[in-house]
């Protein structure tokens, strides 16, 4: 009987990954934002999305290859009509999610004109990456991206512009 | 043994029917929050019956509800809260866009991508709302999304060029 119950439970377990939840103060920003976007794609959906990417160019092929190693993409973005709609404390609480010892901040850019951008990585066994996160706070836009799976910072740049992930630029070495 | 099979069938069918309630839940939420009823679309029931039996281009179900003249004086905020409660283990909101600037909200839900899946889209724009649900083979659905010009053909609706 117990085995049968377990079998039933296993059959109807949700097949989707758990979307990371945001602190309540960040969720409340949606009420003040001119535009808010939430993207929540787990592995199986990403594989489906990958099939929709046409075989047109090298960039499309690269995106497909990146998606193959990803288990989830979660994006939360808020756009505001004027500066100062979100506080420094809101930005801090977005960053605080990644202060866990499993995350390491690899990039931190602070610009009065363009805002802050932090990139975090999560390590896994054998030196592989298990995830990457971006917190970008511009004067009128706050974006939090969390990608679960094997992805490098270089690949993150390639994913910019897809799935509502902000575009990142490679800095050319002199 | 026969009893076990019957119980299993009843259980799975009840779970399946409960899992398909999201379309009705969204329609009900729009009706409640905006005080409107969906427009009557002639022959939609017959078309859906044909889809369920013939499965043209892998589509096995299609439902649509179109609303006009939405009274959104105070319904918008409550509608968002209602939409945030929609979803189940078999249907998840993958994309949600809310634009107060353009007075638009779009919610896209998908089912578990197995051999077949469901796609449920709810869109509210100014004083109009549309809720569409499509059940189709994953491959057929992908083909339709790649080539949206043929969605009408799959649903038995043929475009008339001017």
């Amino acid at each position: 009987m117990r085995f049968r119950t377990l079998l039933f439970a296993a059959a109807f377990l949700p097949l989707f990954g758990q979307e990371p939840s945001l602190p309540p103060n960040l969720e409340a920003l949606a009420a003040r934002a001119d535009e808010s976007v939430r993207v929540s794609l787990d592995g199986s959906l990403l594989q489906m999305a990958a099939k929709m990417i046409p075989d047109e160019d090298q960039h499309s092929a690269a995106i497909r290859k990146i998606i193959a190693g990803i288990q989830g993409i979660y994006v939360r973005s808020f756009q505001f009509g004027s500066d100062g709609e979100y506080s420094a404390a809101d930005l801090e609480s977005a960053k605080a999610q990644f202060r866990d010892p499993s995350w390491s901040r690899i990039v931190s850019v602070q610009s009065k004109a363009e805002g802050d951008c932090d990139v975090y990585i999560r390590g896994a066994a054998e030196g592989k990456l298990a995830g990457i996160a971006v917190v970008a706070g511009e004067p009128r836009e706050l974006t939090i991206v969390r990608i679960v799976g094997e992805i490098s910072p270089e690949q993150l740049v390639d994913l910019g512009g897809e799935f509502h992930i902000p575009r990142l630029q490679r800095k050319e070495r002199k | 043994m026969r009893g076990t099979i019957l119980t299993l069938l009843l259980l799975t069918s009840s779970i399946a029917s409960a899992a398909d309630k999201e379309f009705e839940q969204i329609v009900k939420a729009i009706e409640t929050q905006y005080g409107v009823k969906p427009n009557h679309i002639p022959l939609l029931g017959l078309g859906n019956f044909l889809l369920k039996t013939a499965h043209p281009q892998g589509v096995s179900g299609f439902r649509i509800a179109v609303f006009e003249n939405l009274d959104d004086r105070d319904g918008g905020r409550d509608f968002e809260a209602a939409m945030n409660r929609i979803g189940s283990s078999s249907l998840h909101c993958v994309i949600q866009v809310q634009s107060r600037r353009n007075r638009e909200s779009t919610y896209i839900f998908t089912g578990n991508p197995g051999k077949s899946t469901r796609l449920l889209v709810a869109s509210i724009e100014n004083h109009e709302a549309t809720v569409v649900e499509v059940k189709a083979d994953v491959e057929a659905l992908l083909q339709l999304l790649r080539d949206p010009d043929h969605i009408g053909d799959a649903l038995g609706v043929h475009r008339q060029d001017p």
Side-chain angles (χ1 to χ4, degrees):
Chain A
M1 184 62 196
R2 200 173 172 193
F3 174 74
R4 207 180 291 173
T5 312
L6 278 171
L7 199 68
F8 267 110
F12 299 110
L13 265 178
L15 297 173
F16 284 79
Q18 188 72 43
E19 181 187 354
S21 57
L22 282 184
N25 60 320
L26 293 182
E27 283 295 350
L29 289 177
R32 299 208 295 273
D34 269 10
E35 189 166 302
S36 75
V37 175
R38 183 201 299 263
V39 176
S40 177
L41 292 167
D42 81 328
S44 53
L45 283 168
L46 279 168
Q47 300 321 312
M48 198 166 98
K51 290 181 183 173
M52 283 174 57
I53 297 172
D55 287 318
E56 281 175 355
D57 49 35
Q58 279 189 330
H59 179 69
S60 304
I63 300 289
R64 268 182 196 249
K65 195 178 170 187
I66 296 165
I67 289 176
I70 294 178
Q71 288 138 32
I73 294 180
Y74 307 98
V75 181
R76 200 77 171 94
S77 173
F78 307 96
Q79 284 177 24
F80 303 95
S82 56
D83 293 5
E85 288 281 340
Y86 70 90
S87 67
D90 291 328
L91 184 60
E92 268 311 300
S93 66
K95 293 177 180 178
Q97 301 174 94
F98 307 106
R99 300 254 161 79
D100 183 288
S102 63
W103 289 96
S104 307
R105 189 169 65 183
I106 57 164
V107 175
S108 180
V109 179
Q110 289 171 326
S111 159
K112 276 188 180 172
E114 293 176 26
D116 293 5
C117 182
D118 286 7
V119 180
Y120 303 83
I121 54 168
R122 185 175 223 165
E126 297 170 7
K128 287 182 178 173
L129 288 180
I132 198 159
V134 179
V135 178
E138 294 172 27
R140 294 187 182 188
E141 189 168 346
L142 177 62
T143 304
I144 300 144
V145 179
R146 187 190 293 231
I147 299 174
V148 182
E150 273 186 55
I151 178 169
S152 69
E154 279 286 302
Q155 289 174 319
L156 176 68
V157 175
D158 288 333
L159 267 187
E162 308 285 344
F163 309 108
H164 224 271
I165 296 170
R167 288 186 192 279
L168 301 170
Q169 287 179 329
R170 284 187 181 89
K171 194 169 182 180
E172 298 299 330
R173 284 183 185 161
K174 289 178 184 173
Chain B
M1 184 61 188
R2 195 190 250 176
T4 311
I5 293 169
L6 271 173
T7 313
L8 195 85
L9 278 171
L10 279 172
L11 193 70
T12 48
S13 64
S14 66
I15 286 169
S17 65
D20 284 4
K21 292 284 183 204
E22 293 86 357
F23 180 88
E24 283 90 355
Q25 286 175 349
I26 295 173
V27 168
K28 187 79 185 161
I30 294 172
E31 287 177 350
T32 308
Q33 303 297 337
Y34 295 98
V36 286
K37 291 280 178 195
N39 293 353
H40 173 68
I41 301 173
L43 299 176
L44 187 63
L46 177 65
N48 204 16
F49 173 75
L50 291 173
L51 282 175
K52 279 182 179 167
T53 49
H55 295 193
Q57 298 193 28
V59 179
S60 56
F62 175 74
R63 290 196 281 184
I64 184 167
V66 178
F67 298 84
E68 288 177 332
N69 304 318
L70 268 63
D71 179 4
D72 66 348
R73 272 172 296 184
D74 54 6
R77 199 62 60 82
D78 294 336
F79 177 72
E80 282 173 28
M83 287 299 289
N84 287 334
R85 290 192 292 271
I86 304 282
S88 66
S89 60
S90 66
L91 198 76
H92 281 245
C93 185
V94 290
I95 296 174
Q96 177 184 331
V97 180
Q98 283 158 335
S99 172
R100 286 183 214 294
R101 197 187 307 137
N102 302 327
R103 299 174 73 198
E104 286 177 17
S105 292
T106 304
Y107 299 82
I108 301 176
F109 297 83
T110 65
N112 298 324
K115 190 176 179 300
S116 64
T117 193
R118 277 195 295 158
L119 185 70
L120 176 56
V121 180
S123 171
I124 295 187
E125 185 181 352
N126 291 320
H127 297 287
E128 294 174 2
T130 308
V131 186
V132 180
E133 183 184 58
V134 178
K135 292 180 193 175
D137 286 353
V138 168
E139 282 304 320
L141 195 61
L142 290 172
Q143 189 57 43
L144 288 178
L145 292 172
R146 276 190 217 112
D147 191 7
D149 284 351
H150 290 100
I151 287 179
D153 295 342
L155 302 175
V157 180
H158 300 286
R159 186 175 54 185
Q160 290 180 330
D161 291 325

